[in-house]
Amino acid sequence: MATLLTGDLIRAARALIGLSQIELAKKAGITQKALGEFELGKRPITARANEKLRRVFEEQQIQFIAANVESSNLEGTGVRWKPRQPNSGIKTI
């Protein structure tokens, strides 16, 4: 199972591809209200919503990353455009 997205990561990915909450929610098949609550941390993201959002982001060539450390904690998380060739030192989440 993929790592659950945080509100900050969802907001950053949405900004990178230039979609409003309404547009992203429609593409993902979730409500704008739920998306807004996920982004603000008012509601924990469900596995199903996480999967739907990831699908949309992957179609847009968005990649979620973190520092490649031995710890199970995610450090230095962020989003970027998916590179043509993978970079060492970064793990995808």
Side-chain angles (χ1 to χ4, degrees):
M1 182 175 141
T3 302
L4 293 178
L5 298 173
T6 65
D8 289 341
L9 288 173
I10 295 168
R11 218 172 19 260
R14 184 171 59 79
L16 190 58
I17 58 178
L19 292 179
S20 68
Q21 281 187 348
I22 294 169
E23 292 168 325
L24 177 57
K26 185 175 181 179
K27 285 182 176 287
I30 62 175
T31 67
Q32 183 273 325
K33 181 179 184 212
L35 177 59
E37 290 176 350
F38 296 150
E39 286 189 1
L40 293 173
K42 290 184 176 182
R43 178 198 294 191
I45 191 166
T46 64
R48 185 171 176 154
N50 188 70
E51 181 181 318
K52 289 178 175 186
L53 288 167
R54 279 183 174 274
R55 179 181 35 82
V56 172
F57 292 139
E58 287 172 8
E59 288 170 358
Q60 297 294 318
Q61 300 301 305
I62 296 294
Q63 189 174 56
F64 297 94
I65 61 171
N68 194 10
V69 294
E70 296 296 321
S71 166
S72 62
N73 294 332
L74 295 177
E75 296 182 28
T77 57
V79 297
R80 67 177 182 177
W81 294 111
K82 187 174 183 180
R84 293 176 197 245
Q85 295 180 341
N87 295 344
S88 62
I90 296 176
K91 64 180 171 185
T92 58
I93 58 172

